[in-house]
Amino acid sequence: MASHSPARSMMRTFIRNYSAPVDSSIPANKVKYVPTSGTYPKGFRVSGTYVGVKASNTSKPDLAFITSDTPASAAAVFTTNKFQAAPVQISKSVLQARGGANLRGIIINSGCANAVTGKGGMDDAQAMSDTATAQFQQGAQPEDNLGSTSLVMSTGVIGQRLPIKKILAGIPTAYSNLDNDHNAWLTTAKAICTTDTFPKLLSTTFTLPSTAHKGTRYTLAGMTKGAGMIHPNMATLLGILCTDAPVSPGAAQSLLTDAVNKSFNSISIDGDTSTNDTVALLANGAASPSPDTPAIADDASNEDYAAMSSVLTSFAQRLSQLVVRDGEGATKFVQVTVRHAPSHADAKAIASTIARSPLVKTALYGKDANWGRILCAIGYTPGISPDAVVPSKTNVSFVPAETSKSKDEGVLDLLVNGEPEAVDEDRAARLLEDEDLEIVVDLGTGDEEAKYWFCDFSHEYVTINGDYRT
């Protein structure tokens, strides 16, 4: 009989307080982030279907299908990791071939990343895209000669081949399951989860200011997944945004890139960027008041473009923040704001360095107001302007969130113009009891600002990732 070391046995029986329960129920403190209703864009139908990608999964949906009833503009941002997964490469080629126009869907599997799987993995990803595309044609001739109309995404363990026969056999079922109600969208959001403890889904409505769109209410919906291996080097994880507003392919790409830089590219859980990271946008114009309604053009000076940018960026920030709230083993949600920097790049670089510092993250987990660790992270930030950080002008403080039980006690100053404050440890302890916290760094050397969102590091994170594959 095989023997097991005591250490390994302890790991197997470790009680995970902040990770997904074994029975797949949503932790009590995360239920509030799962919507019970929503308003979803016209002309989109979605489904989440069980196919059994992982042998250990016997019932949970693991194949997501997001479709547009009519050809849609599409855009995406992808990981810059050198080991780009097969679905990333195939999706890039689909977008390039079609110039971001006339896309019909996105097919996604969870449970296996199809990354670093050689030519066979590329063939599998292409087969997923082609089989999804075939569902829209249903025996008819292809709509054009530009090839697939479906993007493909995969998420899960790296270095393993997909059970491709299961997935391809399940795509027609996924197509037949398509719907546009809240349950369909929520089930689809569940189907892309891996170590997530809750499905991440949002929807909103908005208007555009020009006369052409006057009186029309458009809708934007999105889902994302991710709880670990999260740090921006483009975007992080998987994300899908769908809107029934009319957007040209060029504008879709510009709008998405800008929104991602200020949202999915401004979050961190553990400092790692995956091989599969993809965030995509589909815009089908189905809610347009007439067929002649002009699509939003790729022109940042246009009022409709500016309004759409604001809506998309704010929405993407809210969606990406759900990923941080579900960080593996996380007990804290932290916003770091760097103000009065010489440039936005300086502010963002410093915020990013603080966000990925293991010492800052462990201090927050331990509820320790160790501002010296924050200061050190500021001081070693690489690549910033020579005069971005002047010690005698630097200020650091903790700001309670609006939901904080101690918010009436005000801001806790830690460093003022380079001089340390006498920290009220009791006040700090009360502030750090809260789940939400803001760290504000005021450099006093410019006029630019950047925000970043991150979580703490707990014992739980090590346990989750120590036995992830097994």
Side-chain angles (χ1 to χ4, degrees):
M1 184 171 68
S3 61
H4 300 280
S5 70
R8 191 165 182 80
S9 297
M10 287 177 65
M11 180 173 287
R12 290 289 178 230
T13 58
F14 191 97
I15 298 174
R16 295 180 172 181
N17 297 306
Y18 305 104
S19 55
V22 175
D23 63 1
S24 298
S25 62
I26 298 171
N29 66 330
K30 304 292 180 67
V31 171
K32 60 188 175 185
Y33 302 121
V34 181
T36 57
S37 63
T39 302
Y40 299 100
K42 295 178 181 178
F44 284 96
R45 293 179 297 142
V46 300
S47 68
T49 302
Y50 167 75
V51 297
V53 174
K54 291 182 73 172
S56 58
N57 176 23
T58 59
S59 62
K60 293 185 294 183
D62 53 3
L63 184 68
F65 205 2
I66 296 95
T67 72
S68 175
D69 294 339
T70 56
S73 296
V77 285
F78 300 98
T79 182
T80 57
N81 194 301
K82 296 296 183 183
F83 293 95
Q84 294 188 350
V88 169
Q89 298 180 60
I90 294 301
S91 290
K92 279 185 173 182
S93 66
V94 170
L95 278 175
Q96 183 175 9
R98 309 195 70 84
N102 300 320
L103 271 288
R104 294 295 302 275
I106 305 173
I107 190 74
I108 310 166
N109 76 271
S110 62
C112 177
N114 190 14
V116 198
T117 46
K119 183 180 182 302
M122 291 289 288
D123 292 341
D124 291 345
Q126 186 67 62
M128 286 178 64
S129 179
D130 291 343
T131 304
T133 296
Q135 308 310 305
F136 305 113
Q137 296 165 1
Q138 296 185 338
Q141 291 297 313
E143 296 171 344
D144 51 45
N145 62 356
L146 297 177
S148 178
T149 62
S150 300
L151 304 181
V152 59
M153 302 181 190
S154 299
T155 182
V157 177
I158 294 170
Q160 296 181 3
R161 288 285 298 275
L162 292 170
I164 193 62
K165 291 182 179 179
K166 285 184 179 181
I167 293 173
L168 299 183
I171 290 177
T173 302
Y175 185 78
S176 67
N177 289 342
L178 292 171
D179 208 336
N180 191 39
D181 61 17
H182 174 68
N183 183 63
W185 280 86
L186 188 60
T187 302
T188 307
K190 292 177 180 178
I192 65 175
C193 291
T194 50
T195 60
D196 307 62
T197 69
F198 66 93
K200 301 162 184 67
L201 173 68
L202 291 176
S203 63
T204 191
T205 60
F206 63 95
T207 58
L208 296 173
S210 73
T211 302
H213 301 280
K214 190 173 182 180
T216 303
R217 185 160 291 278
Y218 295 109
T219 303
L220 172 63
M223 64 185 73
T224 188
K225 64 81 52 183
M229 199 174 277
I230 306 297
H231 189 75
N233 197 11
M234 155 312 289
T236 37
L237 40 93
L238 301 183
I240 304 95
L241 305 170
C242 302
T243 183
D244 52 19
V247 184
S248 69
Q253 188 63 60
S254 296
L255 287 163
L256 180 65
T257 300
D258 188 56
V260 162
N261 283 337
K262 297 173 182 175
S263 58
F264 289 99
N265 244 353
S266 294
I267 62 173
S268 186
I269 288 177
D270 48 21
D272 275 314
T273 300
S274 183
T275 54
N276 291 58
D277 305 337
T278 306
V279 176
L281 169 66
L282 295 178
N284 65 7
S288 299
S290 79
D292 297 326
T293 301
I296 296 173
D298 190 10
D299 178 5
S301 66
N302 179 273
E303 60 179 342
D304 289 329
Y305 182 100
M308 189 72 210
S309 179
S310 177
V311 168
L312 190 65
T313 298
S314 175
F315 185 85
Q317 286 177 341
R318 290 169 53 209
L319 193 61
S320 66
Q321 287 167 21
L322 292 177
V323 175
V324 179
R325 291 193 178 280
D326 201 21
E328 290 172 344
T331 70
K332 293 257 186 301
F333 173 86
V334 187
Q335 173 178 299
V336 56
T337 303
V338 178
R339 296 174 178 160
H340 297 117
S343 69
H344 179 267
D346 287 333
K348 189 170 183 179
I350 290 169
S352 173
T353 303
I354 294 169
R356 71 174 184 267
S357 165
L359 292 180
V360 170
K361 293 158 77 72
T362 50
L364 290 170
Y365 172 65
K367 302 173 185 177
D368 179 9
N370 193 337
W371 56 266
R373 294 181 175 182
I374 299 171
L375 206 64
C376 284
I378 296 169
Y380 67 66
T381 302
I384 58 175
S385 304
D387 298 325
V389 177
V390 177
S392 62
K393 295 182 178 181
T394 304
N395 296 265
V396 178
S397 58
F398 283 168
V399 180
E402 284 299 312
T403 56
S404 172
K405 296 176 183 177
S406 64
K407 67 177 182 178
D408 292 338
E409 297 183 59
V411 174
L412 179 63
D413 291 324
L414 304 171
L415 189 76
V416 177
N417 293 326
E419 295 290 334
E421 293 291 287
V423 177
D424 182 338
E425 295 295 346
D426 290 336
R427 165 71 183 114
R430 289 190 296 272
L431 194 152
L432 291 171
E433 281 293 328
D434 292 313
E435 178 182 341
D436 288 18
L437 172 71
E438 181 179 7
I439 298 172
V440 174
V441 176
D442 192 321
L443 297 177
T445 55
D447 299 315
E448 295 296 322
E449 175 178 305
K451 296 182 185 295
Y452 225 87
W453 297 275
F454 70 103
C455 59
D456 57 345
F457 260 162
S458 68
H459 301 88
E460 190 93 356
Y461 176 84
V462 177
T463 300
I464 293 169
N465 284 281
D467 66 355
Y468 176 65
R469 286 204 313 148
T470 51

